[in-house]
Structure formats: structure tokens, C-alpha cells
Amino acid sequence: MSENTTSTPLVSIITINYNQSAVTCQLLDSLQHVTYPSVETIVVDNASPDDTPEIIAERHPWVTMVRSPENLGFAGGNNLGVLHSKGQLLLFLNNDTEVEPGFLEPLVDVWRQHPDAGMISPRIIFYFSEERNTIQYAGARSINPVTGRGSKIGFMETDTGQYDETRPTDYCHGAAVMVPLEVIRTAGLMPDLYFLYYEEHDWGEMIKRRGYSIYYCGSSRIFHKESMSTGENSPLKTYYMTRNRIIFMKRNRSRAQYLAFLLFFIFLSVPKNVLRLSRNREWDLLRAFGRGCRWHLERHRLQGDPVLAVEPDGSYRISRTPSTS
């Protein structure tokens, strides 16, 4: 890992639009005031079926607009954005966020000061909280090897400056994470088998296995309009959170830990969720939970993880590691 001495490396900001052009434009409005001098912005429209993404380019002609012919999910859409990027640093930013003008400089400074930085996330504040002063993310603790659940540091605390420092942390936050291009070339792209949820945690594990660290940058702050894409308790979210929680544990924990997790999930988590959702008559969520569990009883041949390959002319393409069952 080389020392990072470039004074103003180009930052490629990548964001995904799916049926939310108005929300995406609000993010772009805030990005227009960014003070960092070397930025490009890439918007990937993930084949929005009920939207008019043309207005994004009309209102913000300075962005690079990429139209995917199909919905590639969160990871696949971001990976498509990488193919169109030119930056030394890539910032993956949810479209339902807004930023402060000076939020980029501290993130770049962390990269400069820490040659082992593989991922860097800012402090994230709930946009709709009172006075925009409630913390969503100030770092994260490792995912429990038995429950398959993690926890965010500072979650729901009033922001009084108690998390202003920069420090290593166990996981980034997928709503805003900066990753150096060098790291992506070494560790691979975001694993797209997840489609939605847990992909940034798995990616973090991939990056840490390559010897890099994850940092929380408390001097950078953004605001997140949580769950505007899928809904707080939507069937889509329930399905992918259930399915992907199991995938993550299988891919990233030892055989003994995975077995302990399965015992916990089958005998505690499944009955608890079935009882709760039945009692609340949330039948759509119950069916989604069942589909997420049932997915693992079927045999799936998964394509390998995406890897960034560089063509002789300097352009990028996606190749794959060997497929798995």
C-alpha cells in the first residue's frame, strides 16, 4: 500500500436512481455546493419503470448519466457506475442523502493520513430528525457470530460532538462510503449476489481480508432520508434482509460459527418472527420472510463475485471469480 500524497485526487461520486428522480435531484442540488475542487458525479438509473430520469440530466447537465437496461440492484448499479468513473477515490452515496459543502475534504484527508484505509464512512445524521441532530451512524460494531446482527455506534443519540474523532471501525455504512480505486482493483467490486442489503458488510470483509482497514470519519457529516427507496417495513426489505443475513454468515464465518448461527436462526429467530408477524397480521411481511428462508432450501448456482479488469486502453470491464453453488 503506497503512501497517499496526491493533493487533490479526483473523487468520483456514484449514486443510484430508481424511481426517485426528484429525490436524486435534491442530492445533486446539495452536491453543487461542494467545496472540494476535483469531483465528478455519476448517476446510474437502474432501469426505473415508473419514473422520468431524463429530468436529472436536464436539471443537472454536469453529471454523467448512465442508463442500465435492467435493474442490477444496489451493488450491481454501483459497479456499473465504477465502469464509467475516472477518479482515484470513489464515493458511493445513496440518492436519498444530502451533504454539507465541506464534507469531502475530511474523507480525503483520512485517505491521505492512513495508507491502510480501504473504506471510509462519514458521520450520518437522520435527515428528518428534529433539528437534524440525531445520529444514524458513527461507526459500527462487528456482526455477532451467533445472531448475524450488527449494531451502529451512536445510533439514535443526539449529536453533541461526542463522535467527532476519526477512528477505525468494524463496518462502513452503505449510504456513504469512500473506497480508493486501488482497493477495488485489489479486493474486487461490491458483491452483487445480495442485490439489496448486507453487500457493504460483505465487501468490507473482502477488503479487510486484503489487509486494509475501515475508518469512521467524524469530521465529515451527511444527512440520510432513511428507507425512502424500499419502505421501513416493506416485503422487499424483509425478503432481502432475511435471505442475505444467511448468505453473509455462510460466506464470512467459520463452519462452527455458521452452524451456531443456523441453530439460533432456526430455533429462535424463525419462531419469533412468525409469531410477531402473525400477531400483527402482517401477512405480506410474513410471506416475504418465508421466501427469504426458503431461498436457502433451493439449489442456486451463483455467479462469481465481480472483479474490476482494466483493458489495454485504460477502460474498465467486469470479470468474474469462479461461480459457486
Side-chain angles (χ1 to χ4, degrees):
M1 296 171 227
S2 59
E3 187 176 355
N4 304 319
T5 57
T6 305
S7 58
T8 54
L10 176 65
V11 176
S12 298
I13 298 176
I14 299 172
T15 193
I16 308 299
N17 179 71
Y18 184 76
N19 282 345
Q20 290 188 330
S21 290
V23 175
T24 301
C25 284
Q26 291 168 3
L27 166 63
L28 297 175
D29 288 342
S30 73
L31 288 174
Q32 283 187 291
H33 302 288
V34 164
T35 54
Y36 185 79
S38 185
V39 179
E40 67 170 358
T41 302
I42 300 161
V43 177
V44 177
D45 182 70
N46 233 349
S48 299
D50 304 308
D51 197 12
T52 54
E54 295 81 10
I55 69 170
I56 297 173
E58 291 173 2
R59 296 182 184 178
H60 304 280
W62 45 274
V63 308
T64 299
M65 192 75 188
V66 179
R67 301 290 294 272
S68 174
E70 61 179 311
N71 185 356
L72 300 173
F74 180 76
N78 277 307
N79 291 343
L80 178 59
V82 173
L83 298 186
H84 294 267
S85 69
K86 300 180 179 67
Q88 188 176 358
L89 299 170
L90 287 79
L91 176 65
F92 301 91
L93 192 60
N94 270 24
N95 75 314
D96 61 347
T97 60
E98 294 188 18
V99 304
E100 295 183 324
F103 89 109
L104 268 179
E105 285 88 346
L107 297 174
V108 176
D109 285 344
V110 173
W111 170 77
R112 287 197 193 100
Q113 295 161 12
H114 299 277
D116 67 328
M119 300 175 119
I120 309 162
S121 281
R123 182 173 12 168
I124 301 177
I125 303 295
F126 282 109
Y127 181 90
F128 294 112
S129 62
E130 186 176 356
E131 298 183 358
R132 294 187 189 173
N133 204 31
T134 301
I135 297 170
Q136 181 181 17
Y137 170 89
R141 301 177 183 89
S142 183
I143 290 177
N144 187 288
V146 175
T147 67
R149 299 290 194 192
S151 61
K152 301 182 187 74
I153 296 170
F155 183 70
M156 296 303 294
E157 293 182 22
T158 299
D159 186 10
T160 60
Q162 70 271 43
Y163 298 112
D164 283 354
E165 79 283 5
T166 290
R167 51 179 161 73
T169 192
D170 286 321
Y171 289 107
C172 69
H173 196 294
V177 56
M178 178 177 283
V179 184
L181 177 62
E182 173 194 355
V183 173
I184 295 175
R185 287 179 173 175
T186 302
L189 290 156
M190 201 178 297
D192 53 9
L193 77 163
Y194 289 91
F195 197 80
L196 282 173
Y197 304 115
Y198 273 89
E199 59 274 285
E200 75 271 25
H201 300 318
D202 197 302
W203 203 21
E205 295 288 349
M206 293 165 61
I207 287 171
K208 286 188 285 187
R209 283 195 290 269
R210 291 288 188 161
Y212 295 98
S213 300
I214 299 173
Y215 284 87
Y216 159 74
C217 177
S219 53
S220 174
R221 190 171 68 157
I222 70 159
F223 304 94
H224 189 200
K225 305 166 187 175
E226 172 72 4
S227 294
M228 291 189 69
S229 295
T230 60
E232 187 62 34
N233 293 298
S234 70
L236 182 70
K237 182 174 182 177
T238 299
Y239 169 75
Y240 279 112
M241 287 293 283
T242 303
R243 168 189 180 268
N244 295 348
R245 178 183 175 191
I246 301 171
I247 291 176
F248 175 88
M249 296 299 288
K250 184 176 183 179
R251 281 169 52 100
N252 295 288
R253 295 296 179 260
S254 69
R255 185 171 297 181
Q257 289 173 329
Y258 180 57
L259 177 59
F261 162 73
L262 285 181
L263 292 172
F264 168 85
F265 186 80
I266 293 168
F267 293 107
L268 290 175
S269 185
V270 169
K272 177 183 176 182
N273 278 281
V274 169
L275 287 172
R276 176 178 60 85
L277 295 173
S278 298
R279 183 174 61 248
N280 295 336
R281 298 182 176 273
E282 295 176 299
W283 308 121
D284 287 348
L285 299 185
L286 180 60
R287 285 190 289 269
F289 178 78
R291 289 197 305 273
C293 295
R294 191 169 61 249
W295 187 91
H296 293 274
L297 302 177
E298 305 163 353
R299 289 194 62 83
H300 293 273
R301 185 80 177 171
L302 299 175
Q303 60 183 2
D305 288 332
V307 178
L308 188 65
V310 183
E311 300 285 18
D313 63 359
S315 63
Y316 301 137
R317 64 177 175 85
I318 293 176
S319 62
R320 293 276 172 184
T321 61
S323 60
T324 58
S325 298

